[in-house]
Amino acid sequence: MQGINSNDQANGLHTMNSMKPVKVISVTGGKGGVGKSNVTVNIAISLAKLGKKVMIMDADLGLANIDIMLGLRVTRNLSHVLKGECDLEDIILDGPDGIKIIPASSGTKEMAQLSEMEHVGLIRAFSSLTSQIDILIVDTAAGIADNVISFSQASQDLLLVVCDEPTSITDAYALMKILSTDHGLFRFRIVANMVRTTTEGRELFAKLSRVTDQFLDVALDYVGSVPFDENVRKSVRKQQALVTLYPNSPAAIAMKNLATKIIKWPVPKTAKGNIEFFMERLVQGSTLD
Ligand SMILES: Nc1ncnc2c1ncn2[C@@H]1O[C@H](COP(=O)(O)OP(=O)(O)OP(=O)(O)O)[C@@H](O)[C@H]1O
Ligand SMILES: [Mg+2]
């Protein structure tokens, strides 16, 4: 964009790449199968279409990995980087609309066992990515595993995907409880997925807020809802993103709406906003837990 104001120029352009703020968002949910990976992928592509440089970090070593969803071939992953067999750059995949993907691997779990030297190496490797990205979206695993907590702690924003099912609500509650009472996180941004109507989404948010208001010291923000839409499953089966394959489907339009809200979230201007800091918190978090 032209016409950058002089403040930005002074603060931003003259600083080193590693100081460029990157927005880091973790997508969690507590329960499995609520739509975390689909929300991650489609929001990422929608943000890219809005002009942002986006990277996905697949921190879930489950079955439905991001690379499979997008029909990409993975040969090496973070565990190879950690073993020194290749560079971080070598494992990054190119997805649709210029998005980049760090594929899933046991590496995200192994971070807890890294030596100090390896920590530093990894943090350096990640900080070199800073110039390539504006937004990093981390797709986390279901449950309350250590690495879900570490990623949540290291991120600036937490997107919690919930469905209108008792187990989704109780699992989301359990996750918020542990993150707020034991890890000092209090702000959660809620996406209601697979709703029948927008009203159902709002009611789900209200239901969740009622319980958290009563028992937890947390602040919930409603980002919006995504309707239940068969096109989501179809796109997964075809190994392409919903917003690419069915851009005018109800769920795709909803995903795009979420992205237009997310793009307005403030980006931290301090050093805390850089990716180096994210990685530091990530590796430190995992060793301390
Ligand atoms: N809005 C939707 N409408 C219809 N189906 C959906 C919707 N969102 C997700 N799904 C379907 O639900 C299933 C689970 O979605 P997804 O893999 O994104 O969930 P997840 O939370 O990442 O699961 P996991 O915990 O296993 O990683 C998929 O088959 C997907 O197609
Ligand atoms: Mg998933």
Side-chain angles (χ1 to χ4, degrees), residues 162 169 173 176 188 190 201-216 218-222:
V162 286
I169 295 171
Y173 177 83
M176 287 191 276
F188 300 90
I190 309 294
R202 292 203 164 274
E203 282 169 1
L204 172 55
F205 176 72
K207 211 186 293 182
L208 201 55
S209 304
R210 271 199 299 278
V211 219
T212 54
D213 281 352
Q214 210 174 339
F215 301 107
L216 302 180
V218 297
L220 305 194
D221 289 320
Y222 187 52

Side-chain angles (χ1 to χ4, degrees), residues 66-228:
I66 303 277
D67 48 278
I68 296 169
M69 287 175 62
L70 293 174
L72 303 170
R73 247 193 80 213
V74 176
T75 49
R76 287 175 297 188
N77 57 45
L78 207 51
S79 68
H80 298 94
V81 181
L82 295 180
K83 283 186 227 142
E85 291 170 13
C86 63
D87 290 331
L88 185 59
E89 297 281 337
D90 301 329
I91 67 164
I92 295 172
L93 308 172
D94 291 310
D97 293 275
I99 67 163
K100 307 213 178 274
I101 298 123
I102 298 179
S105 77
S106 56
T108 54
K109 286 191 180 150
E110 288 164 7
M111 280 177 191
Q113 286 108 47
L114 296 183
S115 70
E116 188 63 26
M117 279 282 284
E118 288 168 321
H119 278 180
V120 173
L122 196 66
I123 290 167
R124 275 218 190 106
F126 265 89
S127 65
S128 70
L129 295 177
T130 302
S131 60
Q132 299 174 31
I133 41 178
D134 303 315
I135 303 174
L136 175 68
I137 307 182
V138 184
D139 182 23
T140 68
I144 318 179
D146 278 356
N147 83 332
V148 174
I149 292 171
S150 304
F151 279 110
S152 303
Q153 263 184 315
S155 302
Q156 298 142 16
D157 288 282
L158 276 176
L159 203 63
L160 201 65
V161 183
V162 286
C163 298
D164 197 7
E165 288 170 14
T167 46
S168 170
I169 295 171
T170 50
D171 286 7
Y173 177 83
L175 181 64
M176 287 191 276
K177 183 174 178 185
I178 194 164
L179 289 176
S180 59
T181 36
D182 297 346
H183 303 279
L185 300 177
F186 69 97
R187 189 165 190 195
F188 300 90
R189 303 188 185 262
I190 309 294
V191 169
N193 190 22
M194 303 195 220
V195 299
R196 275 165 301 187
T197 60
T198 50
T199 310
E200 188 183 289
R202 292 203 164 274
E203 282 169 1
L204 172 55
F205 176 72
K207 211 186 293 182
L208 201 55
S209 304
R210 271 199 299 278
V211 219
T212 54
D213 281 352
Q214 210 174 339
F215 301 107
L216 302 180
D217 190 15
V218 297
L220 305 194
D221 289 320
Y222 187 52
V223 192
S225 61
V226 179
F228 183 90

